[in-house]
Amino acid sequence: MIMSKVLIVDDERSIRHTLRDILEFEKYEVDEAADGMECLVKVKQNAYDVIILDIKMPKMDGMDALDKIQELARETPVVMISGHASIDTAVEAVKKGAFDFISKPPDLNRLLITLRNAMDKSELISERKVLQGKVSNTRFQPIIGQSKCINQIMSTIELVAPTEARVLITGQNGTGKELVAHWIHQKSNRCDNPLIEVNCAAIPSELIESELFGHEKGAFTSAIKTRTGKFELANGGTIFLDEIGDMSLSAQAKVLRALQENKIVRVGGEKQIRVDVRVIAASNKDLRKLIDTGRFREDLYHRLAVIIIDVPPLKDRIDDIPQLIQHFCNEICKDYGIPEKSFDAKAVKKLQSLAWTGNIRELKNVVERLIILGGKSISAQDIDRFVLPTTSSILEMRDVLSKFSDLRELQKYIEQEFAHYQSSME
Ligand SMILES: Nc1ncnc2c1ncn2[C@@H]1O[C@H](COP(=O)(O)OP(=O)(O)OP(=O)(O)O)[C@@H](O)[C@H]1O
Ligand SMILES: [Mg+2]
């Protein structure tokens, strides 16, 4: 089962914990934020089905956060929580587009019903989005960079997009594979039809076939109604099979058949359904190695890899870093509605010298962190304070870990260190 994801935003830890307990018991996946700013950071990085938002909070209150959420994730329903004193504000929030409000302390039944209704709204919207072929706004993000490899990728996209050729995009995590896939679709003749994404790594193997091909009612115990699969939803458009290296062998066999025959059969069904879908696949794993170890079908590989676009790691294009920083900086300041910040030359140089194992995604997160925590002009000192400690504490942690073979010993060590730290703070 794919769980619905709820973000709880409240400055009172006890309220967050009560809500978390209730919602986890009801099988929701729960995330928390302690104020409006933290909420926005999370909303930018994750897709939530519902956001529960307190009104009175430090740093950025619920009303301001609501405005920003409506810009960042316009279609995510927001349920406000209000104390007695803020009922009028809650009503105001609903007028501004919040889904509903509940009062503090939350009444269990009211809370669950409100959430269920909000989820229904959210599901309706996402179905409509799929039908309209609208997906995340990554598609409208430009591909930044002028290094030789980026120019080459851009010209391959221009050449390949208008054809029907299948494309396999390879590269490490966070290098921009999804962005490339979006642009191929965007520049293709199919751009008015849906681009449907399937993250093969995120879907349990027993569900992937039903996800891709749909199922008939009664095909298995939880199949209470007929479901249309992603291949059918992508009809006329493009399907993006992300992390294809994680797809089970049995699903691979079915995908191969769908590609050979341009037809699919729903799980538990018999009827062959004709589909006209272009396939773009991506993988951060070396599929050739998976073929050697019997975990990926060679025949499927050759069907998918008509054109291969390899997106290089950021360390191979550090000349693009200044432009990427500038781009993310402008974008993030605009998103937060704060005056433009800038990075001074030494800061940029320092960022160019870092390792970037998480590639562009990591760079983007670091730029965001520096904008939130740093001054108007971000300096090399800001990087020493806010970026490098993370790396050095990971290295320290690795050193500590290597000294223990027994988890209990490690736990004891951490408790002792913590007690020591606490007494030094008193
Ligand atoms: N050249 C680029 N210019 C601007 N933004 C980029 C570029 N490359 C990647 N990004 C941004 O970096 C983030 C990560 O990119 P993306 O999701 O496409 O990577 P990925 O290779 O699919 O990663 P993963 O393997 O982890 O799924 C996204 O926010 C994307 O918009
Ligand atoms: Mg990706």
Side-chain angles (χ1 to χ4, degrees), residues 150-165:
I150 287 297
N151 286 337
Q152 233 158 33
I153 289 174
M154 297 301 280
S155 53
T156 311
I157 293 176
E158 294 290 341
L159 282 174
V160 168
T163 72
E164 290 286 292

Side-chain angles (χ1 to χ4, degrees), residues 368-379:
E368 181 161 0
R369 190 187 317 152
L370 286 164
I371 287 174
I372 294 172
L373 302 175
K376 189 168 162 11
S377 167
I378 315 273
S379 63

Side-chain angles (χ1 to χ4, degrees), residues 172-179 197 199 240 242-243 282 284 361:
Q172 294 176 2
N173 281 336
T175 46
K177 298 184 293 299
E178 188 177 327
L179 194 57
E197 303 185 30
N199 183 344
F240 174 43
D242 202 359
E243 308 299 359
N284 58 9
R361 178 174 299 113

Side-chain angles (χ1 to χ4, degrees), residues 350-351 354 362 366 369-370 373 379-398:
K350 194 151 211 165
L351 288 174
L354 301 185
E362 188 186 7
V366 161
R369 190 187 317 152
L370 286 164
L373 302 175
S379 63
Q381 281 86 339
D382 288 325
I383 292 163
D384 291 338
R385 278 180 65 202
F386 304 123
V387 183
L388 297 180
T390 331
T391 321
S392 59
S393 59
I394 287 172
L395 293 178
E396 263 167 40
M397 217 148 61
R398 194 180 59 175

Side-chain angles (χ1 to χ4, degrees), residues 63-346:
M63 293 304 272
D64 287 341
L66 177 67
D67 286 339
K68 294 275 178 281
I69 293 169
Q70 287 181 329
E71 284 167 25
L72 292 171
R74 194 164 46 88
E75 283 157 347
T76 307
V78 179
V79 174
M80 310 298 292
I81 18 180
S82 72
H84 284 306
S86 53
I87 291 278
D88 289 346
T89 322
V91 173
E92 199 52 39
V94 172
K95 282 193 197 141
K96 276 172 85 176
F99 179 76
D100 202 348
F101 68 89
I102 47 176
S103 42
K104 261 191 213 181
D107 170 78
L108 182 64
N109 283 332
R110 170 89 210 267
L111 169 72
L112 293 178
I113 291 171
T114 308
L115 277 190
R116 189 61 262 165
N117 291 341
M119 294 287 170
D120 285 348
K121 178 183 176 220
S122 170
E123 263 170 38
L124 271 180
I125 288 171
S126 56
E127 272 174 29
R128 201 181 62 211
K129 247 163 81 176
V130 165
L131 292 174
Q132 291 172 343
K134 281 193 199 156
V135 278
S136 69
N137 58 12
T138 324
R139 145 153 55 150
F140 302 109
Q141 296 277 331
I143 297 180
I144 303 293
Q146 276 166 352
S147 52
K148 201 165 149 232
C149 45
I150 287 297
N151 286 337
Q152 233 158 33
I153 289 174
M154 297 301 280
S155 53
T156 311
I157 293 176
E158 294 290 341
L159 282 174
V160 168
T163 72
E164 290 286 292
R166 295 192 191 116
V167 184
L168 173 67
I169 308 167
T170 59
Q172 294 176 2
N173 281 336
T175 46
K177 298 184 293 299
E178 188 177 327
L179 194 57
V180 169
H182 278 238
W183 277 106
I184 296 174
H185 174 75
Q186 193 56 29
K187 288 182 172 277
S188 77
N189 305 327
R190 295 172 174 262
C191 64
D192 291 330
N193 291 322
L195 165 65
I196 303 288
E197 303 185 30
V198 185
N199 183 344
C200 306
I203 303 168
S205 59
E206 63 279 13
L207 289 184
I208 183 93
E209 289 176 30
S210 139
E211 185 78 16
L212 292 173
F213 306 112
H215 60 240
E216 295 294 346
K217 187 174 163 183
F220 43 88
T221 334
S222 57
I224 41 177
K225 53 182 182 184
T226 300
R227 175 175 188 216
T228 314
K230 296 278 165 86
F231 265 90
E232 272 183 81
L233 289 171
N235 202 11
T238 307
I239 193 164
F240 174 43
L241 301 176
D242 202 359
E243 308 299 359
I244 193 149
D246 290 282
M247 189 184 272
S248 67
L249 282 168
S250 111
Q252 288 176 33
K254 293 206 170 170
V255 169
L256 180 69
R257 234 180 70 195
L259 299 190
Q260 283 166 337
E261 298 172 7
N262 292 326
K263 283 181 198 148
I264 57 114
V265 178
R266 292 187 185 147
V267 176
E270 284 172 2
K271 199 171 66 178
Q272 298 220 336
I273 302 168
R274 177 162 282 284
V275 285
D276 162 29
V277 174
R278 181 188 197 179
V279 178
I280 302 178
S283 177
N284 58 9
K285 297 198 173 125
D286 183 348
L287 294 181
R288 312 279 334 179
K289 279 201 186 122
L290 296 185
I291 293 173
D292 290 342
T293 52
R295 281 180 295 156
F296 202 81
R297 294 182 66 117
E298 187 162 12
D299 44 8
L300 178 59
Y301 176 83
H302 291 300
R303 290 253 165 200
L304 294 172
V306 178
I307 304 288
I308 299 178
I309 298 182
D310 186 41
V311 190
L314 185 54
K315 72 171 170 43
D316 293 350
R317 40 177 160 140
I318 55 171
D319 289 348
D320 286 342
I321 288 182
Q323 215 186 336
L324 282 161
I325 295 173
Q326 181 69 47
H327 169 73
F328 292 138
C329 179
N330 294 345
E331 200 187 36
I332 292 162
C333 292
K334 210 163 83 202
D335 276 356
Y336 282 130
I338 55 176
E340 288 275 293
K341 293 198 174 190
S342 60
F343 284 65
D344 74 24
K346 280 189 184 148

